[in-house]
């Protein structure tokens, strides 16, 4: 059996491990347009800021590829598929045949058509190791940077530049930073922490044009008319599933590659996982891209199992974002900003001075979402309650306490949901939501 995996991030790793559990003899080829073995994509801001070294970027133990007998093709761009011939076309002219194919190409940064943006030397995105390396290489010449976008990627770029002692301004169109993953109070607390560390934050505005002579940048003009002097711009508005190479292949693409609960695409023997896939949501059962690091691994494991002839079903993606800004940890999970808030019960506890905030979202007595800022040590308990659709109506207030622990749970819940037998594993905090390409 010839397995070919396009992409070499966390989804591919999940697939490799799943395949090798069932098939120890099949040939596995991994194709990546990046020049690095799998690395911790959420760590690129710390690499930029000098908090970690390149050696600490490794996601896998030494010898992983050799031990699993992986044919690893780095710095190799895939340009197309021939699904009838079952071959992958590469930019260098090579054609690689497959029996089972995994699309794990991640996401590509979205760069909007801003006036003056093209043709400038210091326009960057921030989703890969190379992005961080390019910024770090010119760091000595950066005086002031503007980051367009106040989402997770934009804030981590701002943090990395700030750690280098650079003046940074974040410009966000929404009324707060982290608007897609967190609610207003959480966004305001994070913005407050950023300002306390010297990062300017501008909300409800966006960059309308970039100014400068030749390929140099002198500043940006906002939609409001304000002018911000700068010499570097980081575009961090968002990412889109990397599906351009699939044109003409017959693989169904909506926003991402549409897959079933075994991560199969519309074409036989082709699977997709991670940021490029459009799979079922845990609550709505609608299909959406889910650019979440742990979820990508799970999707990859489900795909790898099916590719090797096994049986494992994807239970649906639960939106979870966990990231740290200047030693303030944040986690959001599930439904955090309900479209119809009157249908939900919302409980909150806030301590702005100490950068602490907790929010619980309940529907019909069951926890469906949570936001934690500050103390996130018990996040695993909350995610377990969400996934198990546990009725917490009689003891919900206890979950607002920072020190809530296993013993605070209802005795019956402890016995039936969290007993050691059955092996339920809580997801661990500390992962980041960083989309990335293959």
């Amino acid at each position: 059996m010839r397995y070919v995996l396009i992409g070499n991030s966390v989804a591919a790793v999940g697939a490799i491990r799943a395949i090798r559990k069932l098939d120890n003899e099949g040939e596995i080829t991994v194709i990546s347009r990046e020049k690095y073995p799998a690395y911790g994509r959420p760590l690129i801001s710390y690499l930029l800021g000098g908090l970690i070294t390149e050696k600490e970027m490794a996601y896998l133990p030494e010898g992983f590829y050799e031990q699993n007998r992986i044919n690893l093709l780095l710095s190799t761009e895939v340009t197309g598929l021939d699904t009838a011939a079952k071959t992958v076309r590469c930019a260098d002219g090579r054609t690689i045949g497959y029996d089972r194919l995994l699309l794990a190409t991640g996401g590509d940064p979205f760069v909007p058509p801003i006036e003056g943006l093209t043709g400038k030397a210091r326009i960057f995105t921030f989703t890969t190791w190379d992005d961080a390396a390019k910024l770090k290489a010119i760091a000595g010449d950066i005086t002031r940077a503007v980051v367009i976008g106040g989402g997770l990627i934009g804030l981590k770029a701002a943090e990395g530049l700030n750690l280098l002692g650079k003046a940074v301004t974040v410009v966000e169109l929404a009324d707060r930073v982290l608007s897609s993953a967190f609610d207003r109070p959480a966004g305001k607390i994070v913005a407050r922490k950023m300002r306390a560390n010297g990062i300017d934050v501008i909300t409800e505005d966006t960059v309308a044009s970039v100014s400068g002579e030749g390929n140099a940048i002198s500043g940006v003009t906002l939609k409001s008319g304000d002018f911000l002097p700068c010499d570097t711009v980081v575009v961090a508005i968002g990412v889109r599933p990397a599906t351009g190479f699939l044109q003409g292949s017959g693989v169904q693409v909506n926003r991402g590659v549409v897959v079933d609960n075994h991560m199969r695409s519309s074409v036989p023997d082709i699977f997709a996982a991670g940021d490029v896939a459009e799979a079922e949501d845990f609550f709505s059962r609608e299909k959406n891209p889910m650019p979440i690091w742990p979820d990508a691994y799970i999707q990859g494991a489900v795909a790898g199992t099916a590719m090797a002839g096994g049986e494992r079903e994807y239970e649906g993606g639960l939106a979870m974002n966990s990231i740290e800004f200047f030693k303030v940890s944040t986690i959001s999970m599930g439904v955090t900003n309900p479209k119809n808030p009157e249908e939900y019960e919302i409980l909150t506890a806030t301590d702005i001075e100490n950068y602490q905030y907790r929010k619980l979202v309940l529907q019909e007595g069951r926890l469906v979402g949570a936001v934690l800022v500050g103390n996130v040590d018990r996040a695993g308990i909350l995610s377990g309650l969400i996934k198990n659709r546990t009725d917490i109506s009689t003891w919900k207030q206890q979950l607002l306490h920072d020190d809530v622990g296993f013993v605070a749970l209802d005795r019956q819940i402890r016995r039936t949901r969290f007993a050691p037998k059955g092996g339920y594993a809580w997801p661990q905090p500390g992962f980041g939501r960083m989309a990335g390409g293959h």
Side-chain angles (χ1 to χ4, degrees), residues 50 55 72 76 97 137 139 161 190 196 214 243 263 266-267 290 296 332 357-359 396 407 419 430:
K55 289 184 178 180
L72 181 61
T76 303
L161 289 167
V190 171
T243 61
M263 311 313 293
S266 61
V267 175
M290 186 70 69
S332 70
Y357 174 66
R358 297 175 76 86
K359 175 182 181 179
K396 57 194 176 186
V407 296

Side-chain angles (χ1 to χ4, degrees), residues 250-266:
V251 175
Q252 183 185 358
V253 176
N254 187 19
R255 283 177 293 173
V257 177
V258 180
V259 295
D260 64 14
N261 285 343
H262 298 280
M263 311 313 293
R264 298 187 183 95
S265 77
S266 61

Side-chain angles (χ1 to χ4, degrees), residues 9 14 41 67 81 93 113 124 173 185 203 209 248 254 314 350 410 416 422:
S9 193
R41 202 170 299 275
Q67 291 166 9
L81 304 181
F124 298 89
L173 181 60
T203 58
S209 64
N254 187 19
Y314 181 59
T350 307
D410 178 90
T416 60

Side-chain angles (χ1 to χ4, degrees), residues 30 38 83 86 112 221 289 325 327 329 333 344 347 383 396 436:
V30 175
T83 57
K86 286 194 168 184
T221 300
F325 296 101
K327 299 183 179 180
S329 298
M333 60 184 79
Y344 297 82
L347 307 176
S383 65
K396 57 194 176 186

Side-chain angles (χ1 to χ4, degrees), residues 98-112:
Y98 67 85
D99 295 310
R100 303 275 165 78
L101 176 67
L102 176 67
L103 309 175
T105 48
D108 288 328
F110 170 62
V111 179

Side-chain angles (χ1 to χ4, degrees), residues 183 185 335-350 357-371 396-397 400:
D183 63 0
V335 179
T336 57
N337 294 298
K339 293 181 180 179
N340 302 305
E342 67 277 0
E343 298 177 5
Y344 297 82
E345 181 182 3
I346 297 176
L347 307 176
T348 62
T350 307
Y357 174 66
R358 297 175 76 86
K359 175 182 181 179
L360 305 177
V361 181
L362 290 81
Q363 187 175 44
E364 297 179 352
R366 289 173 170 78
L367 187 66
V368 297
V371 176
K396 57 194 176 186
Q397 291 291 340
L400 281 178

Side-chain angles (χ1 to χ4, degrees), residues 81-350:
L81 304 181
D82 184 334
T83 57
K86 286 194 168 184
T87 57
V88 172
R89 297 191 302 274
C90 300
D92 59 10
R94 278 183 290 182
T95 299
I96 300 170
Y98 67 85
D99 295 310
R100 303 275 165 78
L101 176 67
L102 176 67
L103 309 175
T105 48
D108 288 328
F110 170 62
V111 179
I114 297 174
E115 180 185 345
L117 194 63
T118 57
K120 297 292 189 293
R122 292 192 180 180
I123 304 293
F124 298 89
T125 54
F126 198 72
T127 60
T128 68
W129 185 332
D130 273 343
D131 290 337
K134 289 174 184 177
L135 273 170
K136 193 166 187 175
I138 66 159
D141 297 325
I142 295 175
T143 301
R144 176 174 289 276
V146 168
V147 177
I148 307 175
L152 291 160
I153 296 172
L155 297 197
K156 293 306 286 183
E159 182 184 40
L161 289 167
N162 175 267
L163 288 169
L164 291 175
K166 306 304 175 182
V168 185
T169 299
V170 174
V171 181
E172 167 58 40
L173 181 60
D175 64 352
R176 64 191 185 278
V177 298
L178 303 175
S179 61
S180 63
F182 292 80
D183 63 0
R184 185 173 288 104
K188 287 185 175 180
I189 288 175
V190 171
R192 182 173 179 269
K193 186 65 173 178
M194 294 174 69
R195 291 186 178 106
N197 282 273
I199 297 176
D200 293 332
V201 179
I202 297 173
T203 58
E204 299 184 90
D205 211 340
T206 190
V207 172
S209 64
V210 178
S211 303
E213 295 293 330
N215 66 358
I217 296 172
S218 60
V220 300
T221 300
L222 305 184
K223 187 177 180 180
S224 63
D226 291 342
F227 180 78
L228 303 179
C230 67
D231 50 51
T232 304
V233 173
V234 179
V235 182
I237 292 177
V239 296
R240 291 175 172 175
T243 61
F245 69 102
L246 295 174
Q247 290 184 2
S249 68
V251 175
Q252 183 185 358
V253 176
N254 187 19
R255 283 177 293 173
V257 177
V258 180
V259 295
D260 64 14
N261 285 343
H262 298 280
M263 311 313 293
R264 298 187 183 95
S265 77
S266 61
V267 175
D269 296 324
I270 297 181
F271 302 74
D275 298 1
V276 76
E278 187 171 314
E280 279 194 358
D281 178 85
F282 179 79
F283 287 112
S284 69
R285 293 301 164 187
E286 296 176 355
K287 293 190 176 182
N288 297 296
M290 186 70 69
I292 307 294
W293 184 264
D295 197 67
Y297 185 93
I298 293 170
Q299 289 186 3
V302 171
T305 300
M307 292 169 73
E311 186 69 26
R312 178 177 175 182
E313 191 166 341
Y314 181 59
E315 297 179 353
L318 178 66
M320 297 183 69
N321 302 277
S322 175
I323 205 157
E324 184 177 275
F325 296 101
F326 299 106
K327 299 183 179 180
V328 174
S329 298
T330 67
I331 287 183
S332 70
M333 60 184 79
V335 179
T336 57
N337 294 298
K339 293 181 180 179
N340 302 305
E342 67 277 0
E343 298 177 5
Y344 297 82
E345 181 182 3
I346 297 176
L347 307 176
T348 62
T350 307

